[in-house]
């Protein structure tokens, strides 16, 4: 299946949602897909196996000129969320780790500055980040706080003259081992409000330690951060971040991106399993001709198609200003649950070969576990949607 206007549709895009992109948008997607084929695919499995980030890829990412897409004024008007979503899908289709690296930088870090920074701060940081001359990270999650971080944020900020003194710990902070700028969220000791701070990598009082022994998104350099009397000037406090509602505004944007990434991960696993089924022979013929194998493949394709449809509609609602927390939450909950089933089915189709990297499925299978949990677990996103549809909160306080 292909679109004569631009890039071919992915095999997993069975209903042809990619044809909703304009000619110019398809050209962008085509560039990203070629980048994935020539630059990401040859190195992804080795980097994942070694749990190392391929630093040389940053300059190549920069040449794609896609980091400015979500933001007005950096390289013209902001792109449609549909294009931004398909870019994420293409990256995840190649490698969920490098899609996560880009999403942390482009979505969480740049998004925090765009949404919560002053005009001067946006001008100071975003152009260099859009050129990927400076890489960002996002420090919200803590050792004792994940889903309850809105109420239980332990990292503190104390005003002293023209500076703030930060103390606390962060955990699971992607890109943090090498990021130039880390957005740190902390509770103001004075008024109890959650505020955001941009901390430079060489700032005294901030140390980062890589988290080892991960079984998912191994290429992403997640870190523990310790802040010990880390002094940040007032000019580096995000001027429009005055409560957790502002923090949540950033997450509302990026949670939809996780849904696109989960769908891309599904497509990558599905296409690898489909190709394998046509080549692998048992009982004298390709396993693609067996009913139970076809059942697994069709179930995966159904999950992909439903998830992609939800992502497309969410993007339309975001562009129209109609998307609410519960819409992004349902998309994240549904797509990552469908992804978890789909990558398991792909692993099942590939059989014993599905547990080694060589056959293209194992990495997707493992990475899905991380996508399933971050940016709100299934349970928490379910409660967000449940509160919206019933009018009753089931959150335990």
């Amino acid at each position: 299946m292909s679109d004569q206007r631009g890039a071919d549709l992915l095999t997993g895009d069975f209903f042809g949602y990619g044809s909703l992109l304009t000619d110019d948008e398809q050209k962008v997607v085509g560039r990203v897909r070629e980048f994935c084929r020539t630059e990401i695919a040859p190195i992804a499995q080795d980097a994942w196996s070694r749990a190392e980030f391929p630093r040389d890829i940053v300059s190549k990412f920069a040449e794609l000129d896609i980091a400015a897409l979500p933001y007005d004024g950096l390289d013209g008007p902001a792109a449609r969320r549909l294009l931004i979503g398909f870019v994420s899908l293409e990256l995840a289709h190649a490698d969920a780790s490098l899609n996560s690296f880009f999403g942390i930088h482009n979505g969480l870090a740049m998004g925090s500055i765009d949404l919560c920074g002053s005009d001067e701060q946006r001008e100071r940081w975003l152009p260099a980040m859009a050129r990927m001359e400076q890489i960002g990270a996002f420090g919200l999650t803590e050792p004792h706080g994940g889903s309850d971080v809105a109420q239980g944020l332990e990292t503190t900020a104390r005003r002293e003259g023209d500076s703030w003194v930060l103390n606390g710990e962060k955990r699971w902070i992607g890109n943090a081992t090498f990021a130039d700028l880390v957005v740190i969220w902390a509770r103001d000791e004075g008024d109890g409000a959650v505020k955001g701070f941009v901390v430079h990598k060489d700032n005294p009082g901030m140390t980062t330690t890589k988290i080892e022994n991960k079984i998912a998104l191994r290429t992403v350099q997640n870190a523990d951060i310790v802040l010990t009397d880390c002094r940040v000037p007032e000019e580096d406090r995000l001027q429009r971040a005055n409560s957790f509602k502002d923090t949540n505004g950033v997450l509302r944007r990026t949670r939809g991106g996780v849904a696109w990434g989960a769908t891309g991960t599904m497509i990558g696993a599905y296409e690898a399993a489909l190709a394998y089924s046509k080549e692998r022979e048992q009982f004298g013929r390709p396993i693609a001709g067996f009913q139970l194998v076809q059942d697994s493949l069709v179930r995966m394709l159904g999950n992909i198609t439903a998830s992609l449809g939800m992502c497309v509609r969410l993007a339309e609602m975001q562009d129209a200003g109609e998307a609410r927390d519960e819409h992004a939450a349902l998309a994240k909950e549904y797509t990552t649950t469908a992804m978890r089933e789909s990558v398991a089915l792909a692993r099942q189709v590939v059989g014993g070969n599905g547990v080694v990297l060589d056959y293209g499925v194992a990495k997707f299978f493992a990475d899905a576990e991380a996508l399933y949990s971050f940016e709100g677990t299934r349970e928490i996103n379910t409660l967000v949607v449940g509160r919206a549809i019933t009018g009753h909160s089931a959150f335990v306080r």
Side-chain angles (χ1 to χ4, degrees):
M1 185 184 299
S2 65
D3 178 10
Q4 295 179 354
R5 296 178 305 159
D8 289 342
L9 300 179
L10 293 171
T11 303
D13 184 6
F14 196 63
F15 277 28
Y17 285 110
S19 64
L20 298 174
L21 296 167
T22 66
D23 291 345
D24 287 342
E25 289 170 338
Q26 288 220 5
K27 290 177 182 176
V28 174
V29 171
R31 290 204 318 271
V32 173
R33 187 176 302 169
E34 180 65 11
F35 172 78
C36 290
R37 185 185 70 81
T38 60
E39 302 294 344
I40 292 181
I43 66 170
Q45 295 204 145
D46 181 62
W48 192 95
S49 181
R50 292 184 290 106
E52 294 180 4
F53 183 80
R55 296 293 298 274
D56 291 346
I57 202 125
V58 175
S59 61
K60 297 173 182 177
F61 256 106
E63 292 173 2
L64 275 177
D65 196 26
I66 56 174
L69 286 176
Y71 304 107
D72 271 320
L74 290 181
D75 190 23
R80 288 198 300 165
R81 301 304 301 185
L82 187 67
L83 172 58
I84 296 164
F86 268 101
V87 166
S88 177
L89 182 144
E90 290 285 346
L91 292 171
H93 168 256
D95 183 57
S97 287
L98 289 178
N99 180 55
S100 293
F101 150 74
F102 186 70
I104 293 162
H105 167 73
N106 181 244
L108 289 168
M110 291 182 68
S112 296
I113 294 169
D114 179 66
L115 191 64
C116 300
S118 65
D119 290 341
E120 184 278 328
Q121 289 173 326
R122 292 181 77 257
E123 293 173 4
R124 190 185 345 152
W125 287 313
L126 289 181
M129 295 178 79
R131 295 190 299 270
M132 300 189 76
E133 296 167 356
Q134 292 189 312
I135 299 301
F138 179 88
L140 176 61
T141 303
E142 298 182 340
H144 303 126
S147 298
D148 67 343
V149 73
Q151 302 295 323
L153 197 69
E154 295 179 352
T155 300
T156 61
R158 183 178 70 254
R159 182 73 182 262
E160 289 188 358
D162 292 332
S163 298
W164 294 81
V165 180
L166 307 184
N167 282 283
E169 299 178 33
K170 299 294 181 180
R171 183 162 174 81
W172 294 116
I173 311 307
N175 300 353
T177 61
F178 60 88
D180 302 286
L181 306 171
V182 183
V183 177
I184 295 290
W185 299 93
R187 191 174 300 281
D188 184 350
E189 291 183 359
D191 61 13
V194 174
K195 293 182 167 66
F197 303 85
V198 175
V199 183
H200 296 256
K201 66 178 179 181
D202 57 355
N203 199 315
M206 181 176 73
T207 61
T208 62
T209 304
K210 177 183 173 182
I211 296 175
E212 303 283 1
N213 302 319
K214 294 190 303 175
I215 66 165
L217 298 181
R218 287 171 54 81
T219 308
V220 178
Q221 302 299 288
N222 295 95
D224 288 313
I225 294 178
V226 176
L227 301 153
T228 306
D229 293 332
C230 180
R231 192 170 292 271
V232 179
E234 163 64 13
E235 66 181 13
D236 289 351
R237 178 181 66 83
L238 294 176
Q239 298 297 304
R240 294 202 292 260
N242 299 303
S243 73
F244 191 78
K245 287 184 179 179
D246 299 316
T247 316
N248 196 48
V250 180
L251 298 175
R252 186 183 305 117
R253 286 182 177 182
T254 58
R255 197 166 285 131
V258 177
W260 283 98
T263 305
T265 299
M266 270 190 275
I267 293 176
Y270 164 76
E271 292 186 355
L274 177 62
Y276 181 90
S277 74
K278 295 177 180 180
E279 298 173 358
R280 174 69 168 176
E281 292 192 359
Q282 291 284 280
F283 304 105
R285 60 192 177 107
I287 63 172
F290 294 126
Q291 292 180 353
L292 294 180
V293 170
Q294 290 189 5
D295 177 72
S296 294
L297 292 169
V298 172
R299 285 167 62 191
M300 293 171 65
L301 186 58
N303 284 340
I304 291 165
T305 303
S307 296
L308 190 48
M310 186 176 288
C311 288
V312 167
R313 180 57 187 147
L314 176 63
E316 292 174 343
M317 296 175 72
Q318 288 173 325
D319 282 333
E322 299 170 351
R324 299 187 299 272
D325 283 346
E326 55 266 30
H327 295 125
L330 182 60
K332 198 278 177 179
E333 183 277 332
Y334 181 86
T335 58
T336 55
T337 301
M339 169 195 62
R340 207 180 193 196
E341 178 188 45
S342 296
V343 297
L345 288 168
R347 212 280 319 151
Q348 180 175 304
V349 167
V350 181
N353 287 330
V355 301
V356 292
L357 292 175
D358 309 61
Y359 294 87
V361 169
K363 183 161 64 65
F364 292 115
F365 178 76
D367 286 343
E369 287 303 294
L371 274 67
Y372 182 73
S373 295
F374 66 47
E375 293 253 14
T377 62
R378 177 192 174 278
E379 291 79 9
I380 290 298
N381 280 306
T382 295
L383 295 183
V384 170
V385 179
R387 180 176 59 193
I389 63 177
T390 66
H392 296 278
S393 176
F395 286 92
V396 176
R397 297 183 183 277

